[in-house]
């Protein structure tokens, strides 16, 4: 039976309306900005390396442009940069994907009649165009307001003050959901409750002003603000839109078998950089197919594994089966169907291992449920067992 997650969630404050940011909070705009910047800077013989990402997230177009021009010493003004960059960016707006959990959140709040506003530093025409590619979004918001409609953009509170005014609600009754530091600063300056969902990795410690910091929209608990709770959690798991991934099992850090006693079949990150930017770090589960062997239950982590402080985001599936030998060189395919929890740090190796085994218990049990078990017959996995093709794989 599907129901809300059985976790104690004490009420932080009662709110009656929600104001959402757009870029980096609901839409994976950061990835598109990165892709376009890479192409744009090549014209000047420069290479985008992401070192200035923190200076452009949440900023107005003018501020972000100034930061890039200055950092890369471009032979143009910020105004000239905006004029040249904007058409390139606009041509790709249809490629921006909603972040995981965005549709779920919008549909949930709208379905319960919660007044919602969208407040973004982007110019209003850009907002309208982005909304047009996401069915039902524009109709879900009572108010949509862009940075060109107020005197000052975030971190000024002007956008949020105007949003509350148009919603005709008290400032203290508003809950802001933001991904950037300028957005969080603006929300608190407006006298509102603020949830931060940092869009940049390993930045959570900087969001001290926020009333709550969460890893992703999957981890939002509306009932903490007396809003209607999500009711789609089932036995400590959240069903998600299934996604498929396959590739070589590469040699990992060696810690899976040697340190943790939990052998993982690591996937290369090089082929999945866009996917890694799209999906939040955390623990997921689903089904795994290994060529010439079979289909097995699996639980996996995506992220930096804070206990080991990974230098890069990784994908580390644990196939829940005792294999007699390594399957180096064999093809692996995954169908990811559910989410368990956000990535977390642990005070000891023992507590980390205990949590991983708890994740295994949750995944093994959940995968027996019809909502998840049906994906064992996914064609993506079945086709793997019907072919004799071998890919290049190495097990950890």
């Amino acid at each position: 039976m599907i129901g809300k997650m059985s976790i104690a969630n004490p009420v932080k404050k009662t709110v009656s309306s929600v104001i959402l940011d757009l870029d980096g909070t609901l839409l994976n705009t950061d990835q598109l900005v990165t892709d376009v910047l890479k192409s744009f800077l090549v014209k000047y013989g420069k290479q985008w390396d992401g070192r200035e990402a923190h200076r452009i997230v949440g900023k107005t177009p003018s501020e972000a442009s100034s930061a890039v021009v200055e950092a890369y010493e471009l032979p143009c003004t910020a105004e000239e940069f905006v004029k040249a960059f904007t058409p390139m960016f606009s041509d790709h707006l249809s490629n921006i994907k909603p972040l995981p959990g965005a549709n779920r959140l919008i549909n949930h709040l709208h379905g319960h009649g919660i007044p919602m506003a969208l407040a973004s530093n982007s110019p209003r025409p850009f907002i309208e165009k982005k909304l047009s590619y996401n069915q039902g979004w524009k109709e879900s918001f009572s108010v949509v307001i862009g940075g060109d409609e107020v005197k000052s953009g975030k971190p000024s509170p002007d956008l949020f003050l105007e949003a509350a005014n148009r919603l005709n609600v008290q400032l203290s009754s508003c809950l802001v959901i933001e991904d950037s530091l300028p957005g969080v600063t603006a929300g608190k300056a407006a006298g509102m409750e603020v949830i931060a969902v940092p869009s940049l990795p390993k930045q959570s410690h900087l969001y001290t002003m926020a009333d709550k910091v969460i890893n992703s929209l999957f981890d939002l608990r509306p009932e903490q603000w007396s809003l209607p709770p999500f009711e789609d959690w089932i036995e400590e798991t959240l069903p998600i839109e299934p996604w498929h991934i396959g590739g070589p099992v590469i040699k990992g850090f060696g810690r899976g078998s040697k340190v943790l006693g939990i052998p993982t079949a690591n996937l290369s990150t090089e082929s999945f950089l866009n996917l890694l930017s799209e999906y939040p770090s955390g623990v997921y589960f689903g089904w795994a197919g290994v060529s010439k062997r079979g289909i097995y239950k699996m639980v996996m982590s995506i992220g930096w594994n804070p206990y080991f402080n990974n230098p890069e985001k990784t994908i580390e599936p644990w196939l829940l089966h005792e294999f007699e030998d390594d399957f180096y060189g064999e093809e692996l395919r995954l169908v990811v169907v559910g989410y368990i929890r956000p990535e977390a740090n642990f005070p000891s190796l023992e507590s980390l291992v205990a949590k991983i085994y708890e994740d295994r218990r949750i995944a093994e049990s959940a995968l027996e449920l019809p909502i998840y078990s049906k994906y064992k017959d996914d064609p993506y996995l079945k086709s793997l067992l019907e072919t004799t093709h071998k890919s290049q794989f190495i097990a950890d």
Side-chain angles (χ1 to χ4, degrees):
M1 181 176 180
I2 297 179
K4 62 180 180 290
M5 194 177 187
S6 57
I7 291 180
N9 286 314
V11 174
K12 289 181 173 290
K13 190 171 182 178
T14 299
V15 300
S16 59
S17 55
V18 177
I19 305 177
L20 290 154
D21 173 53
L22 181 62
D23 300 310
T25 300
L26 298 176
L27 292 177
N28 189 18
T29 319
D30 297 342
Q31 183 59 47
L32 178 60
V33 170
T34 295
D35 292 342
V36 177
L37 275 174
K38 284 180 179 178
S39 300
F40 185 86
L41 291 176
V42 165
K43 297 190 302 181
Y44 294 100
K46 307 285 185 176
Q47 183 176 359
W48 171 256
D49 55 15
R51 68 176 183 269
E52 296 303 311
H54 69 283
R55 291 184 59 190
I56 64 176
V57 170
K59 300 296 180 65
T60 64
S62 177
E63 291 170 336
S65 298
S66 295
V68 174
V69 168
E70 178 186 347
Y72 289 88
E73 300 178 343
L74 301 183
C76 63
T77 64
E79 291 73 20
E80 291 169 337
F81 179 93
V82 170
K83 187 176 181 179
F85 180 84
T86 299
M88 293 179 63
F89 182 70
S90 183
D91 288 344
H92 293 85
L93 287 180
S94 61
N95 297 329
I96 304 178
K97 294 182 179 180
L99 285 162
N103 279 312
R104 171 183 179 245
L105 174 61
I106 291 172
N107 292 337
H108 175 75
L109 295 176
H110 182 62
H112 284 279
I114 305 300
M116 284 191 293
L118 188 66
S120 169
N121 265 346
S122 293
R124 180 66 178 267
F126 266 79
I127 297 173
E128 297 283 354
K129 191 169 183 179
K130 293 169 188 174
L131 290 176
S132 71
Y133 296 116
N134 293 275
Q135 187 175 2
W137 282 24
K138 184 176 180 179
E139 297 76 17
S140 297
F141 292 99
S142 304
V143 169
V144 175
I145 179 171
D148 55 341
E149 299 179 73
V150 294
K151 182 179 180 180
S152 301
K154 307 167 190 175
S156 161
D158 290 3
L159 272 165
F160 293 127
L161 295 175
E162 181 60 22
N165 180 55
R166 295 188 189 182
L167 285 172
N168 194 27
V169 296
Q170 296 292 322
L171 300 177
S172 60
S173 72
C174 296
L175 174 65
V176 169
I177 303 178
E178 268 281 359
D179 74 297
S180 70
L181 285 171
V184 171
T185 302
K188 294 311 299 179
M192 301 175 178
E193 295 292 295
V194 179
I195 296 175
V197 195
S199 56
L200 293 179
K202 301 184 179 183
Q203 298 288 308
S204 296
H205 64 284
L206 300 177
Y207 288 72
T208 54
M209 289 183 65
D211 298 285
K212 178 80 172 180
V213 181
I214 59 177
N215 184 64
S216 75
L217 293 178
F218 287 155
D219 307 309
L220 179 63
R221 303 285 178 256
E223 63 270 25
Q224 291 186 337
W225 279 267
S226 295
L227 295 171
F230 288 115
E231 296 181 346
D232 49 359
W233 283 89
I234 176 170
E235 295 193 9
E236 302 179 88
T237 66
L238 175 65
I240 61 175
E241 188 68 28
W243 47 283
H244 303 77
I245 185 171
V249 181
I250 63 167
K251 189 171 182 62
F253 298 95
R255 61 181 179 231
S257 300
K258 298 173 186 176
V259 180
L260 301 175
I262 300 168
T264 55
N266 300 69
L267 286 171
S268 168
T269 58
E270 292 183 8
S271 303
F272 307 111
L273 292 178
N274 286 348
L275 182 144
L276 282 169
S277 77
E278 179 181 346
Y279 282 91
S281 58
V283 177
Y284 299 79
F285 65 95
W287 296 96
V290 184
S291 59
K292 298 185 177 181
R293 291 178 184 259
I295 298 173
Y296 311 96
K297 295 177 178 179
M298 71 88 188
V299 62
M300 74 177 197
S301 70
I302 292 181
W304 290 267
N305 293 291
Y307 183 83
F308 294 102
N309 195 27
N310 283 6
E312 61 180 19
K313 200 173 184 181
T314 59
I315 305 172
E316 300 183 38
W318 179 20
L319 277 57
L320 306 182
H321 177 79
E322 298 296 327
F323 293 94
E324 295 183 357
D325 56 354
D326 295 326
F327 42 94
Y328 298 147
E330 297 181 35
E331 184 176 356
L332 174 69
R333 290 184 184 177
L334 308 175
V335 178
V336 186
V337 299
Y339 174 80
I340 296 177
R341 63 174 177 85
E343 186 173 56
N345 204 348
F346 296 89
S348 67
L349 188 63
E350 291 74 20
S351 59
L352 169 59
V353 171
K355 192 64 174 178
I356 293 175
Y357 272 94
E358 181 183 341
D359 295 334
R360 172 176 182 157
R361 174 190 61 77
I362 293 171
E364 281 192 308
S365 175
L367 286 167
E368 293 295 325
L369 301 171
I371 193 172
Y372 297 128
S373 63
K374 62 184 179 182
Y375 292 104
K376 185 176 182 179
D377 297 321
D378 191 289
Y380 182 65
L381 300 178
K382 289 290 188 179
S383 63
L384 173 65
L385 303 183
E386 296 168 358
T387 180
T388 58
H389 175 71
K390 290 185 67 175
S391 297
Q392 183 181 357
F393 276 84
I394 310 173
D396 183 9

